[in-house]
């Protein structure tokens, strides 16, 4: 699929210079943001701590080191970051093994991007072991590559994940459309210079320059994405 990447600056549709689409995973393609919080609540309950629901906005969308570290510090739980990371990944895997609900419009969008051979990457703060489990359900054929949070020097909100994806596809980040659901992911994509489409999952996110907010992936199709990036 990487052979279909257009040359830099080449129009992929009348008036459009879209070169690739880069997609977040949790809360964007799969309805799993709540899974992470449920697992965190369950683990800390077992350690004798109750998580404050307002903390959910702090930990959503971020790298596990940040979210897990915050919860350990906030609760004073007697557990190391390494131990908690293992428990979180295992708890999440158990849940997606039982059910992996797609976000409305996700399957249609992936099918359309594949049909028109649009270079597409999955870019997530989740670890590789989690991404590979989810990819098996999403359909790995829809993605030219994937970038995991434990494979880059700095994960979201830093630009590294999206810069890595763009480099892997051989495209200009400024000609990429990113679809995200959290402020952390949006910050990462914008720092990389991409145009971002936001489908907020947990907390509201306001529109801004090179940032378009929609209520659902059902509002997003290839024509919409192409219209965001013009010469």
């Amino acid at each position: 699929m990487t052979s279909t990447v257009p040359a830099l600056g080449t129009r992929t549709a009348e008036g459009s210079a879209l070169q690739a689409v880069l997609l977040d995973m949790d809360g964007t393609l799969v309805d799993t943001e709540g899974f992470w919080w449920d697992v965190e609540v369950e683990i800390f309950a077992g350690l004798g701590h109750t998580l404050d629901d307002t903390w959910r906005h702090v930990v959503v969308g971020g790298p596990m080191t940040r979210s897990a570290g915050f919860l350990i510090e906030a609760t004073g739980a007697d557990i190391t970051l390494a131990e908690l990371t293992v428990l979180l990944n295992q708890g999440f895997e158990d849940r997606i093994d039982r059910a992996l609900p797609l976000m409305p419009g996700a399957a249609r969008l992936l099918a359309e991007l594949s049909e028109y051979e649009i270079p597409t990457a999955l870019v997530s703060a989740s670890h590789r072991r989690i991404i590979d489990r989810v990819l098996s359900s999403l359909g790995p054929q829809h993605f030219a590559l994937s970038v995991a949070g434990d494979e880059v020097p700095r994960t979201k909100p830093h630009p590294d994940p999206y810069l890595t994806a763009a480099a892997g596809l051989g495209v200009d980040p400024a000609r990429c459309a990113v679809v995200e659901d959290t402020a952390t992911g949006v910050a990462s994509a914008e720092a990389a210079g991409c145009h971002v489409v936001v489908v907020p999952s947990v907390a509201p996110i306001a529109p801004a320059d090179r940032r378009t907010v929609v209520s659902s992936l059902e509002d997003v199709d290839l024509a919409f994405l192409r219209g965001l990036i013009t010469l």
Side-chain angles (χ1 to χ4, degrees):
M1 189 169 180
T2 52
S3 63
T4 65
V5 177
L8 298 186
T10 300
R11 293 175 182 240
T12 55
E14 186 61 34
S16 174
L18 175 70
Q19 292 183 334
V21 176
L22 314 178
L23 300 163
D24 175 53
M25 189 177 76
D26 293 305
T28 299
L29 292 177
V30 289
D31 191 8
T32 52
E33 285 292 9
F35 285 14
W36 285 112
W37 180 248
D38 290 344
V39 171
E40 288 159 350
V41 167
E42 182 179 290
I43 290 171
F44 278 90
L47 296 170
H49 299 276
T50 300
L51 299 189
D52 188 320
D53 197 59
T54 62
W55 295 344
R56 182 173 182 178
H57 298 290
V58 179
V59 302
V60 68
M64 189 174 295
T65 51
R66 189 199 74 186
S67 57
F70 169 82
L71 292 174
I72 291 172
E73 182 177 353
T75 61
D78 184 18
I79 189 170
T80 68
L81 182 60
E83 291 169 339
L84 181 55
T85 296
V86 172
L87 293 177
L88 288 171
N89 276 325
Q90 186 58 59
F92 185 81
E93 288 181 30
D94 290 344
R95 277 167 171 73
I96 63 176
D97 283 345
R98 295 196 296 266
L100 184 62
L102 299 186
M103 297 298 289
R108 174 201 48 78
L109 178 60
L110 290 175
E112 183 179 19
L113 295 175
S114 292
E115 179 183 357
Y116 288 92
E117 299 186 323
I118 303 300
T120 303
L122 187 67
V123 184
S124 176
S126 291
H127 290 185
R128 170 55 58 187
R129 60 183 282 187
I130 298 295
I131 287 182
D132 286 346
R133 297 286 282 273
V134 174
L135 272 173
S136 66
S137 294
L138 282 176
Q141 72 275 10
H142 294 304
F143 303 96
L145 60 85
S146 59
V147 178
D150 56 343
E151 295 175 337
V152 289
R154 302 176 302 171
T155 188
K156 304 175 185 181
H158 299 286
D160 306 40
Y162 284 108
L163 292 176
T164 298
L169 294 174
V171 298
D172 180 355
R175 299 300 187 190
C176 294
V178 168
V179 185
E180 271 282 358
D181 72 304
T182 68
T184 301
V186 170
S188 173
E190 290 182 341
C194 305
H195 194 120
V196 189
V197 178
V198 191
V199 189
S201 61
V202 175
I205 299 175
D209 184 44
R210 295 180 63 80
R211 181 196 308 167
T212 304
V213 180
V214 298
S215 60
S216 168
L217 271 187
E218 293 184 320
D219 299 326
V220 180
D221 58 14
L222 181 53
F224 176 89
L225 295 173
R226 280 174 166 163
L228 299 175
I229 302 175
T230 56
L231 294 177

